[in-house]
Amino acid sequence: MKISLKPAVLACAMFSVLPALGSAAGEAPAASPEIQARVAAAKTVTQDFLKTLGGTMMKEMKAGGPGAAMNVCRKVAPEIANDISLQKGWKVTRVGTRVRNPMLGTPDAWEQDVLNRFAERAKQGEALKTMAYYEVVEEPNGKYLRFMKAIGVAPKCLACHGDKSQLPEVVRTKLDLLYPHDQATGYKPGDLRGAVSIKQPLDM
Ligand code: HEC
């Protein structure tokens, strides 16, 4: 079932994570201070999430190789996302442009739309590193602030997301076993891999 999302006129703006909020050219009306604070919080949480994930991944790769490190993307990433979700009362997930775990990683209609726009923005030359988007959306049961931050493919991701023929044997075997519907291979460095997606309920 498709839920139709009506963007509120209130605050619908594109922005980059690093420059001051709302500084991009040709933007919708400035967001309220509450929205700006919420976007800033989402941004901080996302950066911490990605940093922790990247650090843990590197450590596991060094210690146990790609077979062991698979658990970081498989267990640690959803665990951190769940912890933040519980702590903040938000929904925090990772979604993919091509998905490995269809249960956790499949974008909903809004997320798919934003991923398409991220791909378009990347084609225009914008860096994935700072690419993000937020919007206040109205759903049948209330308003939400939705936020997404692009995730790019780095060389270190290729052991598990690169060309299938190039994957280490241990990774290929595990993928076949654990992810029979895996689509998340064939990426190159600099590709859009997906996004961190955050949904905060608003009481207004
Ligand atoms: C050691 C193997 C491994 C490496 C290295 C790895 N991943 Fe993954 N990745 C996985 C596995 C396994 C999953 C499925 C996780 C799950 O079950 O939710 C996954 C899932 C994801 C997802 C969630 C969407 C989906 O397809 O299910 C994203 C986004 C992602 N990886 C990005 C990255 C990025 C970016 C890098 C490099 C910084 C990276 N991964 C490196 C194994 C890996």
Side-chain angles (χ1 to χ4, degrees), residues 71-93:
N71 266 341
V72 178
C73 247
R74 179 175 168 80
K75 296 245 164 68
V76 179
E79 267 168 27
I80 302 176
N82 279 345
D83 283 353
I84 305 169
S85 300
L86 286 173
Q87 212 179 7
K88 299 275 187 188
W90 305 344
K91 186 178 166 200
V92 181
T93 50

Side-chain angles (χ1 to χ4, degrees), residues 57 61 65-71 73-75 78 94-96 98-102 104-105 151-154 156-161 171 175 179 184 193-195:
M57 176 68 78
M61 279 287 225
M70 267 184 78
N71 266 341
C73 247
R74 179 175 168 80
K75 296 245 164 68
R94 286 188 313 169
V95 291
R98 295 199 298 278
V99 174
R100 174 152 293 165
N101 182 344
L104 286 180
I151 304 176
V153 175
K156 65 183 175 203
C157 316
L158 298 184
C160 302
H161 296 295
V171 171
L175 286 179
Y179 302 98
R193 173 66 188 90

